[in-house]
Amino acid sequence: MSLAPRVLRRAVAGATVALLATAVGCAPQPEDKAATTPSASSTDACAKGKLATETSGKLTIGTDEPAYEPWFKDDKPANGEGFESAVAYAVAKQLGYDKSAVVWQSVPFNKAFAPGEKTFDFDINQVSISDERKKAVDFSSGYYDVRQAVIALKGTKAASATTIADLRGLKLGAQVGTTSLDYIDDVVKPSRQAAVYAKNDQAKSALKNGQVDAIVVDLPTAFYITAAEVTDAEIVGQFENQGAAPEQFGLVLDKGSALTACVTAAVDTLRKDGSLAKIEQQWLSDAVDAPVLK
């Protein structure tokens, strides 16, 4: 109804028309609305319990089989016991999925971060974050700072090693695709080629049978192996972190996954509120300090 007088005024005052046109042209209402859309979309993408997961309403988590202690307990990732099982369920809760909505999937260690589309939402399996692996997959922020350690049978030459130089003439072994193997090749640089195993179980058997002088694993695993699995073995020492940043385990996601930001935010929240520290204290408290090999 108010348009007729306005049209009449515009016809009478040309200058006013120009001013009004300029004012209308400077009122970017549609653009302002659009500018809020990404923020809203980002919020919706991480809506609790409503993520764009592999299976609607479920959160699919991958890990290797067998699932070793102290990361998992009794080879049962779904029981919520062990450090990584507890972390996985804590992340799931942050994302809005209770225990009944979590589905576990068996994923071989190397396959978790190999190129190719994933069938899990995220994988948790002591996978260290690295630039090389980031070419094929996404990672969350780190959920655990880790060091690598050397294990040898008690009373052997390897057990008496106190420096990296002492290790160079030994036959060392580690699981394929791990930073443990990287430390042998890049830090120790042994005179004998490292023995490479598909599983840690095979590396432990080789140590027990005298096929290798020592094996390299992450420090918490080293404490568990020497306390419960190869009790006539001992921790020779641990390596210093290489570079400015510590080695960290991260949750593995498909490259370009829409969940990466949401999962990272969940891990960051658990770190900030002290939950990760509590879980570590509960399940990895026995993994205390060990001599540093330099």
Side-chain angles (χ1 to χ4, degrees):
M1 289 298 211
S2 61
L3 288 177
R6 186 178 300 169
V7 171
L8 185 57
R9 285 195 298 271
R10 286 176 183 168
V12 175
T16 305
V17 170
L19 289 171
L20 287 172
T22 302
V24 171
C26 294
Q29 294 176 350
E31 288 80 2
D32 283 350
K33 184 176 180 181
T36 64
T37 303
S39 176
S41 298
S42 177
T43 301
D44 291 344
C46 293
K48 290 202 170 187
K50 297 182 179 179
L51 277 64
T53 53
E54 287 289 324
T55 302
S56 181
K58 300 287 185 181
L59 188 68
T60 303
I61 303 176
T63 198
D64 202 356
E65 186 179 0
Y68 299 110
E69 298 196 27
W71 311 106
F72 300 91
K73 191 169 177 61
D74 300 327
D75 192 20
K76 295 177 180 178
N79 64 14
E81 299 184 11
F83 178 76
E84 290 196 326
S85 181
V87 168
Y89 281 114
V91 171
K93 185 176 180 181
Q94 281 293 321
L95 296 173
Y97 296 87
D98 61 24
K99 198 170 182 178
S100 65
V102 172
V103 178
W104 286 90
Q105 184 181 99
S106 176
V107 180
F109 178 80
N110 275 344
K111 191 175 180 181
F113 51 87
E117 188 175 354
K118 309 306 177 191
T119 56
F120 51 76
D121 294 311
F122 69 77
D123 181 275
I124 182 167
N125 191 26
Q126 307 111 66
V127 181
S128 295
I129 301 168
S130 73
D131 290 337
E132 184 63 29
R133 289 172 178 171
K134 283 181 179 179
K135 295 176 183 177
V137 295
D138 283 356
F139 281 96
S140 71
S141 53
Y143 61 87
Y144 180 68
D145 293 359
V146 64
R147 286 195 176 192
Q148 300 298 317
V150 180
I151 301 174
L153 296 180
K154 295 175 182 176
T156 62
K157 179 181 177 181
S160 65
T162 58
T163 66
I164 291 173
D166 293 337
L167 301 173
R168 291 202 173 109
L170 303 177
K171 182 68 173 179
L172 305 175
Q175 183 178 344
V176 66
T178 60
T179 50
S180 302
L181 183 58
D182 291 340
Y183 268 74
I184 293 176
D185 293 337
D186 302 335
V187 178
V188 179
K189 299 178 181 177
S191 57
R192 303 167 66 184
Q193 187 173 2
V196 183
Y197 302 96
K199 300 276 187 180
N200 260 338
D201 276 347
Q202 296 171 354
K204 288 180 286 187
S205 295
L207 178 65
K208 286 191 286 186
N209 296 333
Q211 295 169 303
V212 292
D213 298 311
I215 61 174
V216 179
V217 295
D218 58 77
L219 187 58
T221 298
F223 274 98
Y224 182 77
I225 288 174
T226 54
E229 297 182 315
V230 188
T231 54
D232 57 342
E234 63 181 287
I235 297 174
V236 178
Q238 63 177 309
F239 295 105
E240 291 182 302
N241 282 320
Q242 303 299 303
E247 178 185 350
Q248 291 186 313
F249 291 156
L251 305 178
V252 183
L253 299 96
D254 204 356
K255 187 67 176 175
S257 171
L259 304 184
T260 301
C262 306
V263 173
T264 291
V267 172
D268 290 345
T269 297
L270 293 172
R271 186 186 305 105
K272 289 174 184 174
D273 69 13
S275 297
L276 285 180
K278 289 177 182 177
I279 295 171
E280 182 177 336
Q281 177 63 31
Q282 180 179 0
W283 295 107
L284 302 181
S285 59
D286 290 338
V288 294
D289 223 3
V292 176
L293 299 164
K294 296 183 179 181

